[in-house]
Amino acid sequence: QVQVVESGGGLVQAGGSLRLPCAPSRNIGRINAMGWYRQAPGKQRELVADISSVGIAWYADSVKGRFTISRDNINNTVYLQMNSLKPEDTALYYCTVKTLWSDYWGQGTQVTVSS
């Protein structure tokens, strides 16, 4: 069974930075889009950023200019660099990996930003 492994979450002060890497646990073939969602307590899960197989990135308005998504196609890894973090960025961050046949989700990594 494929697992999507995320890491890099933690507690950081407002204005700080974190980098979240994510990769599938084994070779799953051709990967199309990879992305990051987040869900804060009492709120719906929302798409933060995603990146296509050819490197075209999309960002939610709330993170534009602060977050950068990138991917390493050799190692099938996606990264979310989060700078200038704000308390409202506090959430459980989920990685998603999409192939032609399936969407794979990680278990989530907690990001907490203190004011």
Side-chain angles (χ1 to χ4, degrees):
Q1 186 169 348
V2 177
Q3 290 183 325
V4 174
V5 182
E6 307 128 324
S7 62
L11 174 64
V12 64
Q13 288 188 330
S17 298
L18 286 172
R19 188 189 195 211
L20 307 183
C22 163
S25 58
R26 64 172 178 82
N27 188 349
I28 56 174
R30 178 183 172 84
I31 295 175
N32 294 330
M34 306 178 83
W36 289 92
Y37 286 73
R38 68 185 180 187
Q39 188 167 20
K43 294 188 177 181
Q44 289 188 330
R45 188 175 297 189
E46 62 173 351
L47 177 61
V48 176
D50 68 9
I51 185 166
S52 72
S53 59
V54 295
I56 298 173
W58 178 92
Y59 297 95
D61 287 344
S62 58
V63 306
K64 281 182 182 176
R66 299 188 298 121
F67 291 11
T68 302
I69 190 169
S70 61
R71 63 189 283 173
D72 176 351
N73 288 331
I74 294 175
N75 296 303
N76 290 333
T77 302
V78 63
Y79 301 95
L80 186 66
Q81 177 67 43
M82 306 186 294
N83 298 330
S84 301
L85 282 161
K86 303 176 181 180
E88 50 263 44
D89 295 317
T90 295
L92 191 59
Y93 283 71
Y94 297 91
C95 176
T96 180
V97 178
K98 300 182 179 182
T99 67
L100 182 61
W101 309 109
S102 298
D103 292 355
Y104 300 94
W105 289 81
Q107 294 296 307
T109 184
Q110 178 67 38
V111 171
T112 302
V113 184
S114 63
S115 57

